[in-house]
Amino acid sequence: MAYDYDLASGDIANPRPAVSVPPELGWPDGMTSDMEGRLWVAMWGGARLTRWNPLTGRLLAEIPFPAFNVSCCAFGGPNLSDLYVTTARKDMKAEQLAKYPLTGGLFCIHTKIEACRRSNLRVEKSFIQLCPPSVGVC
C-alpha cells in the first residue's frame, strides 16, 4: 500500500496499492527502500528479489536467486550500498531443496544504489516494546 504522508504532522492518508505483484513472481515478503525511492521486495517461493517503482507500480528489475524462499532484504556496509538478503527453508519439499540447496543462506549483493540514510517516521510511544536489559533483543 502507498499513502500520502504529511511531514509536519506524521499523518497518513489516501491509501492505495503501490504495486501489483503477479503470482508467478512469488509472494511479497520483506522489503526495503533505496535513495531513489524504489522498493526492493523479497519474493517468497519465487527465487528472486525484485525492485519496483512505487509511484508507477512498474517492475524495474528481477534478480534471480539460488534460493527458493527469499525472505527479507536490508542495505548495509560502509556506504549502505550492499544489499543483504536472507532466505529460508521453511516448508520446502525435498525436490525444492535439491534444486535450491543454498536456500537458508544469507547473500550480499554489491550495488551502486544507496539506502535511505534516515527516516522521518513518527512513532507513538504506545507502540514501542522495550526489552528488559537482561534480554537484549525483542
Side-chain angles (χ1 to χ4, degrees):
M1 295 298 291
Y3 299 86
D4 294 334
Y5 178 69
D6 185 309
L7 285 173
S9 69
D11 292 334
I12 60 172
N14 192 23
R16 60 201 175 274
V19 299
S20 179
V21 179
E24 61 271 13
L25 294 183
W27 184 261
D29 202 358
M31 72 175 186
T32 191
S33 59
D34 61 34
M35 285 294 285
E36 297 175 1
R38 306 307 186 240
L39 299 177
W40 294 82
V41 183
M43 302 307 295
W44 184 271
R48 73 191 83 215
L49 181 69
T50 56
R51 186 174 187 239
W52 300 82
N53 180 333
L55 299 177
T56 64
R58 186 172 163 245
L59 176 62
L60 302 173
E62 292 181 60
I63 301 170
F65 264 76
F68 186 64
N69 294 323
V70 182
S71 55
C72 199
C73 53
F75 282 98
N79 298 316
L80 292 180
S81 60
D82 294 334
L83 193 56
Y84 293 91
V85 182
T86 58
T87 64
R89 291 179 166 241
K90 183 175 173 53
D91 299 328
M92 287 184 64
K93 297 179 171 93
E95 310 84 58
Q96 294 169 319
L97 285 169
K99 184 175 179 181
Y100 299 101
L102 298 178
T103 300
L106 172 66
F107 298 85
C108 181
I109 301 169
H110 303 290
T111 75
K112 294 181 180 179
I113 301 166
E114 292 183 15
C116 295
R117 299 249 175 217
R118 57 176 265 200
S119 174
N120 292 322
L121 178 65
R122 182 180 77 183
V123 178
E124 298 292 335
K125 187 174 182 181
S126 61
F127 291 113
I128 299 173
Q129 176 184 358
L130 299 177
C131 298
S134 61
V135 175
V137 294
C138 294

